[in-house]
Amino acid sequence: MKKYFTLLAVTSILLVSTSTQAAMANGNNSSIEKKKALTILFKQVDRSLINELQLNEMQYIQLRTLNKKYKEEADQINATSTTVDSKIQELNNKYFAELNEVLTADQITTFINKQTIALN
């Protein structure tokens, strides 16, 4: 009986994980997941983020560059634009696509799951 419940629990976890990863890979993610993933760009790219996402050297460099560009463009939009919300949404869509090119679906899913746990 214990083996049955353990198998059921492991299978459920794998199914949830796989469906989340598939949604991230296919771009069929909710706006909440997208917002959580984009919070990576607001964080300082430091040792704790590198360890949390298990970044390799190339990902670290790309993420640091992406982080800097995102912050600069967001600051520019906030300072100059009258239609801030729509411009920020466009910026978020652009950088979310770039973030998906830098990080793997597993890394984004791990980050989103840790963000969800931290919020609870």
Side-chain angles (χ1 to χ4, degrees):
M1 192 67 153
K2 257 186 171 176
K3 289 180 183 179
Y4 174 74
F5 285 119
T6 304
L7 179 61
L8 183 62
V10 169
T11 305
S12 299
I13 291 169
L14 288 175
L15 287 174
V16 170
S17 175
T18 304
S19 65
T20 303
Q21 290 171 4
M24 295 295 288
N26 293 332
N28 298 333
N29 42 16
S30 72
S31 61
I32 294 171
E33 289 172 333
K34 186 185 248 184
K35 286 178 184 176
K36 287 180 183 176
L38 282 169
T39 58
I40 292 172
L41 296 176
F42 292 104
K43 287 183 158 277
Q44 181 178 348
V45 182
D46 59 5
R47 180 63 53 198
S48 64
L49 185 63
I50 293 167
N51 291 337
E52 180 180 341
L53 298 178
Q54 298 177 352
L55 300 175
N56 62 36
E57 186 67 25
M58 183 58 77
Q59 287 176 316
Y60 163 71
I61 292 168
Q62 290 173 329
L63 185 59
R64 190 180 64 197
T65 303
L66 194 62
N67 179 286
K68 182 179 177 185
K69 285 179 12 184
Y70 179 82
K71 287 179 180 179
E72 288 172 355
E73 287 187 40
D75 289 343
Q76 184 179 10
I77 288 171
N78 287 326
T80 62
S81 182
T82 57
T83 57
V84 173
D85 289 339
S86 63
K87 294 284 187 179
I88 291 292
Q89 185 62 35
E90 290 173 21
L91 184 69
N92 286 345
N93 291 337
K94 173 185 169 186
Y95 280 97
F96 185 72
E98 290 187 36
L99 191 63
N100 278 319
E101 292 176 13
V102 173
L103 302 177
T104 66
D106 288 339
Q107 289 170 324
I108 293 174
T109 302
T110 299
F111 183 79
I112 289 171
N113 289 340
K114 286 186 178 186
Q115 289 295 104
T116 303
I117 291 169
L119 293 175
N120 290 335

